[in-house]
Amino acid sequence: MRSLMRIVQTALCEWENALRSRRALVLLLLYLASAVLCMNGTISALGKMEQELVRVLKLPDSGQTGVVSETLWKSKSFRSMVAASVDDRLVFEDISKRHPVELLYAWFAFLCAPILVVLVSGTRVADDLRTGVARYMLVRVTRLEWTLGKYAGQALMIASALAVSAVGAWCVAFWRLPAETATRLFPAMLGWGASALFYSLAWLGLALGLSHLTRSGMRATAFGILAIGACSVLPHFFPSIELFVPSGARMGLWRTSFTPQAVAVFHLVTLGLVYLMAGAAVFARRDA
């Protein structure tokens, strides 16, 4: 129990330092800006595509973005074409029940999660080692407690940023789409934000684990970016390692049923903690 309290105190200290240095504000604005810009760009591109479809197919113009694309998404011929490009039939059956706008938001959220985590959180351990803050903390907590506290503090900040960014993206959808459609999207946007959080936790563990290996924030960021590239490329050449990279478990988050989602969440959280503990194990043999 005392160990848990020290982990919580370390996480709260991470929050306090982030608020004092305005790093929390930067994190919030970065996530919010990326979500708002992606959603606005997606709806703009969708609107132009619909205008072109209306012109080519000589359809009646509804004057509202999203109506034509939703109708097209529900058509059997279009679904057959999309199904041919999706490897997992069960995933396709689940996403075919979703609105195309929310699917595009989810795709952007999953795409941006790794790089945002690496850029914002990947330097936290390395920075504390460089400035000497780690030595101050390690007088009061063990190295493992400090590592887990840093992870928990960053996870809470990312969760807050994703919640705000999901609401911000929905506000753009409410402004650009018919009110009835946007209202139906609100629970879905929050749900995709939660899915992006669990996906981010795996990358957070990897980024902080790598950050234990150096005292340089720039080097920690470089390690994180290289890790993103390796996790994206290597599974194409060595399919057997897909189980050990975050993207290998991501497809389960696209499902709507509880069991595959729970398996994916457990897989991603476990991966993040394994990465984190690997970095902590190396750090345990180094001078703080």
Side-chain angles (χ1 to χ4, degrees), residues 79-108:
R79 286 191 176 189
S80 299
M81 182 178 64
V82 175
S85 63
V86 178
D87 296 332
D88 194 324
R89 181 70 184 180
L90 295 175
V91 170
F92 171 74
E93 290 178 358
D94 285 343
I95 65 174
S96 63
K97 304 170 187 175
R98 304 275 194 162
H99 193 281
V101 170
E102 67 169 281
L103 293 176
L104 289 170
Y105 169 74
W107 183 78
F108 274 115

Side-chain angles (χ1 to χ4, degrees), residues 8 24 42 45 56 65 88 99-100 102 115 127 140 144 160 168 217 264 276:
V8 172
T42 295
V56 172
T65 302
D88 194 324
H99 193 281
E102 67 169 281
I115 191 65
D127 286 343
R140 295 161 175 78
L144 180 59
S160 302
L276 183 70

Side-chain angles (χ1 to χ4, degrees), residues 154-171:
Q154 289 298 312
L156 288 173
M157 284 192 284
I158 291 173
S160 302
L162 283 171
V164 172
S165 64
V167 173
W170 177 80
C171 289

Side-chain angles (χ1 to χ4, degrees), residues 29-280:
L29 291 177
L30 186 59
Y31 272 75
L32 179 60
S34 63
V36 167
L37 291 174
C38 287
M39 177 57 70
N40 188 60
T42 295
I43 295 176
S44 295
L46 202 62
K48 291 179 180 179
M49 182 193 71
E50 289 182 352
Q51 290 175 2
E52 190 65 20
L53 285 173
V54 167
R55 185 185 66 82
V56 172
L57 301 178
K58 297 181 180 180
L59 300 173
D61 190 359
S62 65
Q64 294 179 317
T65 302
V67 176
V68 176
S69 59
E70 187 174 8
T71 303
L72 179 64
W73 180 248
K74 292 178 180 178
S75 67
K76 291 184 178 180
S77 57
F78 185 77
R79 286 191 176 189
S80 299
M81 182 178 64
V82 175
S85 63
V86 178
D87 296 332
D88 194 324
R89 181 70 184 180
L90 295 175
V91 170
F92 171 74
E93 290 178 358
D94 285 343
I95 65 174
S96 63
K97 304 170 187 175
R98 304 275 194 162
H99 193 281
V101 170
E102 67 169 281
L103 293 176
L104 289 170
Y105 169 74
W107 183 78
F108 274 115
F110 290 139
L111 180 67
C112 295
I115 191 65
L116 287 175
V117 167
V118 166
L119 292 177
V120 175
S121 304
T123 64
R124 291 303 307 131
V125 172
D127 286 343
D128 281 2
L129 292 174
R130 177 179 56 81
T131 60
V133 173
R135 292 185 179 183
Y136 173 80
M137 291 296 298
L138 291 176
V139 175
R140 295 161 175 78
V141 299
T142 66
R143 294 192 177 204
L144 180 59
E145 291 166 350
W146 180 70
T147 294
L148 292 174
K150 299 285 286 186
Y151 177 82
Q154 289 298 312
L156 288 173
M157 284 192 284
I158 291 173
S160 302
L162 283 171
V164 172
S165 64
V167 173
W170 177 80
C171 289
V172 175
F174 188 81
W175 172 49
R176 301 288 306 275
L177 298 176
E180 181 182 356
T181 300
T183 302
R184 287 189 286 111
L185 288 178
F186 185 68
M189 302 286 274
L190 292 179
W192 287 119
S195 297
L197 170 63
F198 290 117
Y199 185 53
S200 298
L201 290 180
W203 291 104
L204 177 63
L206 178 58
L208 289 182
L210 292 171
S211 192
H212 282 75
L213 308 180
T214 179
R215 297 176 184 270
S216 168
M218 293 183 62
R219 193 173 298 169
T221 301
F223 287 164
I225 293 173
L226 288 174
I228 293 174
C231 290
S232 301
V233 174
L234 290 180
H236 294 288
F237 298 98
F238 307 100
S240 58
I241 71 169
E242 195 172 47
L243 185 66
F244 304 101
V245 298
S247 57
R250 183 182 59 187
M251 295 307 293
L253 298 177
W254 290 93
R255 300 291 305 280
T256 56
S257 51
F258 174 77
T259 301
Q261 284 193 344
V263 171
V265 167
F266 178 79
H267 189 174
L268 290 166
V269 173
T270 301
L271 271 182
L273 291 175
V274 168
Y275 295 145
L276 183 70
M277 291 300 99

